Amino acid sequence: MFRYYCRLALNSILQAKVHSSLTILTVALGIAACTIVLTLLHSMSSNPIAHKSEQLFRVQLDNWDPNQAAVSPDLPPEFVTWTDAQNIVQAKQAKRQVASAITWGMVNPAEQGLTPFLALMRVTGKDFFPMFDVPFLFGAGWDETAEQNNDYVVVLSKEINQQVFNGANSVGQTLTMLGATFTVVGVLNDWHLSPKFYDLSYGAFSDPEEMYLPFGLKAIFELPHGGITNCWKPVESEHYEVFLHSECTNFQLWVELDNAQEKAQFNDYLTHYVEQQKALGRFPRPMNNRLLNVHQWLDYKQVVKQDIQIMFWLSVMFLLVCLINAASLLSAKLHTKHNEIGLRRALGANFGQIIMQYSLEVIIVGLCGGILGVMLAIVGLSGVASLYAGYGQLIELNVSITIGVILLAVVGTVIAGLVPVYTACRPVPAMQLKQ
């Protein structure tokens, strides 16, 4: 009987090809719009390190102008000074602690027969790699000794290793850069956090750095200040050392704390540290330290813009409008089948069997609309990816989203189609035959 109903449903769809095609296209457009926005929202709002989100904390200290908050209404600056970054990292009061900053410099791989190029670099600590679960293809990060001695060591991205060493294991090889000879200690595997929560200076979806150097080398090589630099009072001199020891903020500071007890202890340490600095004439504002975990930090930075959320709800409304239009088209189609329904009921088909037959037709229409909608969404997402070259590789249609939107199309179409099916079956058979 089920196969018979399926055959009747397919025959009904094929007998009204134009009408059925319009209904399927209407559902597909609503599903495609909703899927594209849902995929973008999913890509932007995902937590790239969810398993450690509650253990990683962004450190903020309020060393700002006593007469004006760094961030309205009364929030501390998002970055810390060189002095505070150095002091807190060297104090080692957390399980792991790392200060870092973006910079850049010239690489001169003459030994490899390549022309010099400018590379995007990050100066950071050895804890950066285990703290953020950075995957290695070859080698590892530098050790404590190399960090304390400011050894000339470097970790390469997979792309730079491919460019300079043709993708071979380059650990132990030397590379001329910044006017000195560096030793490669590690090569990263594919690694592109989305969003790049540990440093949002160049956007939440910017590319990762090409090279990683020990934090102390920034002062030795006087590397440029990348990212965002803010100062609340003039720097007394243009000399590089003077800037580093000024109240200008430029450095990201993260710590890893395993539980609430460690967090409380670290908060106490920060309070004690700021009190010490106040005694030295710094930190003129009231105590205002903040520790935000990854989830809180992403919320604070509003990585998912409000306009994207508005677009999502607009796409949901558009989908509802499409389903209502699909219901209208189905109602118009079923209106022409009153005589057929009356005849079938007069021949013995009961109300439930009629509902089953036309519900199957509606389900098939919804399923076709969902599949076509996903195909249109893939085309649309490809267009979005082509418009945003750096962000495009992060836009992928998630399997769960794909299954979800197809189910949504079927359920939505069934709900939208049940009303006209029920309306068509309500009149008594005699009245339908007279009509």
Side-chain angles (χ1 to χ4, degrees), residues 380-393:
L381 289 172
S382 300
V384 174
S386 65
L387 289 175
Y388 302 96
Y391 176 59
Q393 58 183 316

Side-chain angles (χ1 to χ4, degrees), residues 170-435:
S170 58
V171 173
Q173 300 289 319
T174 58
L175 181 62
T176 302
M177 50 189 280
L178 307 175
T181 301
F182 280 69
T183 301
V184 178
V185 295
V187 177
L188 301 188
N189 208 337
D190 294 322
W191 188 59
H192 194 166
L193 292 179
S194 171
K196 190 179 162 186
F197 68 90
Y198 64 87
D199 188 351
L200 303 171
S201 302
Y202 290 157
F205 308 100
S206 58
D207 291 333
E209 295 74 30
E210 297 169 312
M211 296 181 171
Y212 301 81
L213 315 175
F215 192 67
L217 297 184
K218 179 177 174 66
I220 293 174
F221 288 95
E222 298 189 355
L223 295 173
H225 309 302
I228 299 172
T229 301
N230 289 313
C231 307
W232 66 273
K233 60 182 181 181
V235 181
E236 296 175 356
S237 166
E238 293 184 356
H239 193 275
Y240 196 86
E241 276 293 323
V242 175
F243 175 85
L244 282 185
H245 293 94
S246 70
E247 294 297 330
C248 295
T249 60
N250 176 245
F251 302 93
Q252 323 274 337
L253 183 58
W254 286 86
V255 295
E256 182 174 348
L257 305 166
D258 280 342
N259 49 51
Q261 183 181 359
E262 289 187 7
K263 183 182 177 184
Q265 290 173 348
F266 191 77
N267 256 324
D268 291 341
Y269 159 71
L270 286 182
T271 300
H272 180 64
Y273 172 76
V274 172
E275 286 173 346
Q276 282 185 327
Q277 297 300 309
K278 282 178 177 290
L280 296 173
R282 299 182 62 216
F283 288 81
R285 293 181 62 79
M287 189 74 67
N288 191 16
N289 306 326
R290 293 220 307 174
L291 288 176
L292 299 182
N293 64 32
V294 176
H295 181 73
Q296 293 168 332
W297 175 247
L298 292 175
D299 278 349
Y300 168 70
K301 292 298 293 179
Q302 296 183 340
V303 171
V304 181
K305 303 294 183 186
Q306 191 175 13
D307 51 355
I308 291 291
Q309 298 179 7
I310 294 173
M311 283 177 60
F312 172 72
W313 289 112
L314 287 175
S315 69
V316 171
M317 292 175 65
F318 179 67
L319 175 61
L320 290 176
V321 170
C322 288
L323 291 177
I324 291 172
N325 284 333
S328 299
L329 291 169
L330 288 170
S331 180
K333 180 181 178 181
L334 290 172
H335 185 72
T336 64
K337 292 181 174 294
H338 279 198
N339 291 343
E340 179 183 328
I341 293 172
L343 180 60
R344 290 203 62 221
R345 293 188 65 185
L347 292 175
N350 59 33
F351 184 82
Q353 290 172 324
I354 299 295
I355 290 288
M356 172 69 77
Q357 175 193 337
Y358 288 102
S359 294
L360 278 175
E361 181 176 338
V362 171
I363 289 173
I364 293 173
V365 169
L367 191 60
C368 293
I371 294 172
L372 181 60
V374 171
M375 295 170 66
L376 292 175
I378 292 173
V379 175
L381 289 172
S382 300
V384 174
S386 65
L387 289 175
Y388 302 96
Y391 176 59
Q393 58 183 316
L394 305 176
I395 303 175
E396 294 181 354
L397 189 58
N398 187 282
V399 175
S400 58
I401 291 178
T402 306
I403 297 173
V405 295
I406 291 176
L407 289 175
L408 179 64
V410 173
V411 173
T413 311
V414 168
I415 293 174
L418 277 180
V419 175
V421 169
Y422 179 75
T423 304
C425 294
R426 281 192 64 187
V428 296
M431 292 296 296
Q432 288 177 314
L433 288 174
K434 283 183 180 179
Q435 294 173 353

Side-chain angles (χ1 to χ4, degrees), residues 101-105 119-123 209 213 218 223-227:
I102 297 176
T103 186
W104 56 88
L120 187 64
M121 302 172 177
R122 175 167 293 278
V123 288
E209 295 74 30
L213 315 175
K218 179 177 174 66
L223 295 173
H225 309 302

